[in-house]
Amino acid sequence: MNSSATTVAAAGPAIPTAPATPHIDQKNGPVTVLIFIGLLLLGVLFTAYSLRSDVTSAGPVSANWLPYLLLGLALLIALGFEFVNGFHDTANAVATVIYTHSLPPHFAVLWSGCFNFLGVLVSSGAVAFGIISLLPVELILQVGSGSGFAMVFALLIAAIIWNLGTWWLGLPASSSHTMIGSILGVGVANALMHGRDGTSGVDWEQAAKVGYSLLLSPLVGFICAALLLLTLRALVKNKELYEAPKGRKAPPWWIRGLLVLTCTGVSFAHGSNDGQKGMGLIMLILVGTVPMAYALNRAMPVGHVTQFVAVAQVTEQSLTKFVGPTALAPADPRKTMSEYVRTKELTPAVVPALAALTESIGTQVKLYGTLDRVPANTASNVRNDMYLAAEGIRFLEKNPTLKFDADTKANLTAFKKQIDDATKFIPLWVKIAVAIALGLGTMVGWKRIVVTVGEKIGKTHLTYAQGASAELVAMLTIGAADMFGLPVSTTHVLSSGVAGTMAANKSGLQVSTIRNLVMAWVLTLPVAILLSGSLYWVFSHVF
């Protein structure tokens, strides 16, 4: 008998190579640690330098050191939230490329961190100010007071505590969900502490809009990722795409390119969407503590200010014509508008109050010529007037009982845009500070969530096609939400997308993991509300 044939017969049939777990336990080298520390120090120094430059150029610095101490503490906590957000949510972007062996784990994390950084830098700010609009109006108007600091500290610390807790348990909970719950908790607690119904402390219409986006995003992830995988199966007949990786073999070049591209897109979209939550709160902190530098957009050109005054005058005339010459403005239009923004109850005094407030804003801006010349002691009042006018316009435009004519509607829209340009701005240094915090956060603590997404959702190893389908849906969903200014959960979209591909592939789902994910999803909102509300009550007494 032929000896080679004997050897083959004795060896038996070839045993397929089983999928191998990626090298996620590999330690960071000294170079990586030095880069991390260097970037951290650079971010702290750059933030301190930029903040000092803005404050000193805006006018005389207050001799009272307490506001600056609280400012520094609040900034550290806000950036700490973004850091935790980084390592809590980055796993969702890198899990698929790691478990399909498309990128080495540490390179994937570094790659994701870079594109999180870039996503923050190019973000629009729409999500940031959408988050702020959920806060109680009276706390926004007095954000520099003790109650304002209690609000900021309570909601940030509550969000950090829940994020760290779910991360420790390896649960991909939503940072967006947590932040919304924390804001609602502060609003409810503030209303109860002032003897009002707890439901009056929240803009429930805006909260419902945000809630729908958070509720629908996991359903979109599950269904669309499942449909995309089934479509891919029907169009692409390469069996290798639908099988678990053999050993640590990388996927075919085109599917590998798609996986890396979608990982990049999810990281970029995560930075663009989630980074704005911290930016909005940081701007709120800056407005409250150093209004002379940040209450108004002092970089607005003189030509824009001239246009602002003209639009304010035309809008005031349109509103006066609408209510008629006999309608008298209330003695305190700010109080009337503040009550309307808080309660949404339209009274005959609201539109005249808005007309009076519009005239006052235009007169003040015209008096100083540019926003840069508005004195430090009046900047907060001017901004508060602008905020009340903008929010009042937003709610009046939605009121079905008001029948504004076309010219009045156009003037109100134009005036609100002018106010937004004057107040809703984010300095470049704030974006860079948040980008560094979020980017550095991606470099640590990512392993727990990666293991859950990569190993514990389905009963079988993640295939190339499953990873690509889930990532592509997550990238498009988060990118679309950012365009419309809606905060969605990267965690919910990606993890539900992976679950959807497992269901479509009939791979089976690990019931215990799905149960824990659903529990975290269901409990996040009530726990965050309770935690932040309790902390707000404590901090209100402390401050």
Side-chain angles (χ1 to χ4, degrees):
M1 182 179 290
N2 186 290
S3 60
S4 61
T6 305
T7 305
V8 171
I15 300 174
T17 306
T21 303
H23 291 298
I24 60 174
D25 293 324
Q26 185 178 355
K27 301 293 184 182
N28 288 316
V31 175
T32 304
V33 174
L34 287 175
I35 291 174
F36 181 90
I37 295 173
L39 289 174
L40 179 62
L41 292 175
L42 181 65
V44 171
L45 293 174
F46 176 74
T47 300
Y49 172 78
S50 301
L51 181 59
R52 184 179 182 278
S53 297
D54 285 352
V55 171
T56 53
S57 63
V61 179
S62 172
N64 185 1
W65 56 268
L66 184 58
Y68 299 109
L69 178 63
L70 292 174
L71 169 62
L73 182 59
L75 285 177
L76 284 176
I77 295 175
L79 293 173
F81 167 76
E82 287 299 339
F83 182 84
V84 173
N85 188 6
F87 70 72
H88 191 278
D89 284 11
T90 295
N92 301 291
V94 300
T96 53
V97 290
I98 289 175
Y99 271 85
T100 56
H101 310 296
S102 299
L103 289 176
H106 288 282
F107 181 82
V109 170
L110 184 61
W111 182 266
S112 177
C114 291
F115 282 92
N116 266 283
F117 180 91
L118 293 174
V120 176
L121 290 184
V122 302
S123 57
S124 63
V127 174
F129 295 107
I131 289 289
I132 290 177
S133 66
L134 291 173
L135 294 166
V137 58
E138 60 265 36
L139 292 184
I140 292 179
L141 296 179
Q142 52 179 334
V143 69
S145 67
S147 296
F149 277 110
M151 169 188 69
V152 171
F153 287 144
L155 64 91
L156 282 172
I157 292 174
I160 290 173
I161 289 173
W162 182 249
N163 274 353
L164 286 175
T166 52
W167 164 80
W168 183 257
L169 296 173
L171 295 176
S174 167
S175 297
S176 301
H177 213 159
T178 305
M179 178 58 70
I180 301 303
S182 298
I183 290 173
L184 296 181
V186 167
V188 171
N190 180 70
L192 292 175
M193 289 169 62
H194 288 82
R196 302 194 301 266
D197 182 357
T199 59
S200 68
V202 176
D203 179 359
W204 290 108
E205 183 180 352
Q206 182 72 7
K209 178 182 175 183
V210 172
Y212 287 141
S213 68
L214 289 172
L215 177 65
L216 292 176
S217 55
L219 298 178
V220 169
F222 186 94
I223 295 171
C224 291
L227 292 175
L228 182 58
L229 179 66
L230 293 175
T231 303
L232 197 62
R233 274 186 171 279
L235 297 178
V236 182
K237 301 299 182 180
N238 187 341
K239 291 184 178 180
E240 189 179 9
L241 299 181
Y242 313 105
E243 298 174 351
K246 295 178 174 61
R248 292 195 174 93
K249 181 182 177 182
W253 67 269
W254 66 274
I255 199 76
R256 185 179 190 182
L258 180 60
L259 282 161
V260 173
L261 177 64
T262 51
C263 166
T264 305
V266 169
S267 301
F268 184 86
H270 176 259
S272 179
N273 195 284
D274 277 40
Q276 293 191 56
K277 301 174 181 69
M279 284 191 284
L281 293 172
I282 287 174
M283 287 309 300
L284 203 61
I285 295 165
L286 293 172
V287 168
T289 51
V290 279
M292 65 281 196
Y294 299 107
L296 301 170
N297 186 2
R298 295 179 176 271
M300 179 180 282
V302 177
H304 287 194
V305 174
T306 303
Q307 184 181 10
F308 182 101
V309 173
V311 173
Q313 291 174 343
V314 172
T315 304
E316 185 270 330
Q317 292 168 4
S318 294
L319 290 171
T320 302
K321 180 181 178 182
F322 176 78
V323 297
T326 58
L328 297 176
D332 189 351
R334 294 179 184 86
K335 182 178 179 182
T336 301
M337 290 306 300
S338 179
E339 189 69 15
Y340 172 64
V341 170
R342 185 177 66 81
T343 63
K344 318 299 181 299
E345 295 178 5
L346 182 63
T347 64
V350 170
V351 176
L354 178 60
L357 201 59
T358 301
E359 181 185 21
S360 174
I361 293 169
T363 301
Q364 291 180 82
V365 174
K366 183 178 180 180
L367 175 65
Y368 300 116
T370 68
L371 297 183
D372 191 42
R373 294 178 185 169
V374 177
N377 58 349
T378 60
S380 290
N381 290 334
V382 173
R383 180 189 174 87
N384 285 348
D385 287 351
M386 289 182 178
Y387 173 79
L388 287 174
E391 290 296 285
I393 291 170
R394 180 165 72 91
F395 293 125
L396 286 173
E397 287 178 333
K398 297 177 181 178
N399 194 304
T401 62
L402 277 179
K403 304 296 182 182
F404 287 126
D405 57 88
D407 287 343
T408 303
K409 285 182 178 179
N411 290 332
L412 286 171
T413 301
F415 185 50
K416 185 177 183 302
K417 183 180 185 307
Q418 293 291 330
I419 292 176
D420 289 346
D421 291 341
T423 58
K424 294 183 178 181
F425 66 100
I426 299 174
L428 180 61
W429 73 262
V430 173
K431 289 189 174 184
I432 292 176
V434 170
I436 291 175
L438 192 66
L440 290 179
T442 65
M443 299 173 68
V444 299
W446 49 271
K447 297 175 186 176
R448 291 178 182 271
I449 309 295
V450 162
V451 170
T452 298
V453 174
E455 297 182 20
K456 297 182 180 179
I457 292 179
K459 292 183 177 180
T460 61
H461 195 286
L462 195 71
T463 67
Y464 304 134
Q466 287 175 320
S469 300
E471 285 275 23
L472 185 59
V473 168
M475 179 182 74
L476 295 176
T477 303
I478 300 164
D482 189 42
M483 290 175 60
F484 291 101
L486 296 173
V488 297
S489 168
T490 306
T491 304
H492 286 167
V493 177
L494 197 281
S495 56
S496 62
V498 171
T501 62
M502 291 290 176
N505 206 38
K506 298 181 180 179
S507 305
L509 297 171
Q510 295 194 38
V511 178
S512 59
T513 301
I514 301 301
R515 182 183 64 243
N516 291 338
L517 291 177
V518 172
M519 283 184 61
W521 182 61
V522 171
L523 291 176
T524 291
L525 203 61
V527 170
I529 289 174
L530 182 61
L531 192 56
S532 66
S534 302
L535 288 173
Y536 176 71
W537 183 84
V538 172
F539 290 154
S540 294
H541 289 78
V542 171
F543 287 107

